[in-house]
Amino acid sequence: QVQLVASGGGLVQAGGSLRLSCAASERAFSSYAMGWFRQAPAKDREFVAAIAWNGGNENYADSVKGRFTISRDNAKNTVYLQMNSLKPDDTAVYYCATSPRTATILRGTVSKWGQGTQVTVSS
């Protein structure tokens, strides 16, 4: 069973940048859509971004459009989330996820979750 390991979280000041990574344990990763979600304290988990197996069909939550970029390197079995112009409202635990199709990620129907990585943005 595929394992997803997220990394790259940390503490950053507002306006700063971070890049999250999510490494998959299997080559089958390259056939699946990938996504990022986040969960802030006392809030529900929410969709952030998704990308198709071939690196196309990028989708973003309105709250991160123009600031975050999702990408993937199938040769490294890794998906990335570049986060720029970070705001305190971006503070959350970020989770990567995989599913056969982007459409299912957008619906929140995920085949596998990774462990979270904490992102804290100070004002």
Side-chain angles (χ1 to χ4, degrees):
Q1 190 175 13
V2 65
Q3 300 295 319
L4 303 175
V5 179
S7 61
L11 173 64
V12 64
Q13 288 188 330
S17 298
L18 282 174
R19 188 176 81 155
L20 305 184
S21 299
C22 176
S25 61
E26 295 183 3
R27 288 292 296 169
F29 157 88
S30 62
S31 302
Y32 281 70
M34 295 295 295
W36 288 95
F37 292 75
R38 66 186 181 186
Q39 187 167 19
K43 293 188 177 180
D44 293 334
R45 189 175 298 188
E46 65 175 1
F47 167 78
V48 175
I51 190 168
W53 69 274
N54 61 354
N57 195 21
E58 295 175 32
N59 285 268
Y60 298 94
D62 288 344
S63 59
V64 307
K65 279 181 182 176
R67 300 188 298 122
F68 290 12
T69 302
I70 189 170
S71 62
R72 64 190 296 161
D73 184 341
N74 286 345
K76 296 181 178 179
N77 293 352
T78 302
V79 64
Y80 304 97
L81 185 68
Q82 178 67 44
M83 305 186 295
N84 298 328
S85 302
L86 282 162
K87 306 174 181 179
D89 284 349
D90 295 319
T91 295
V93 178
Y94 283 72
Y95 299 89
C96 59
T98 185
S99 192
R101 296 185 296 124
T102 304
T104 54
I105 292 180
L106 295 177
R107 292 197 298 267
T109 306
V110 169
S111 300
K112 181 71 177 180
W113 293 99
Q115 99 289 1
T117 184
Q118 176 72 47
V119 172
T120 303
V121 184
S122 63
S123 58

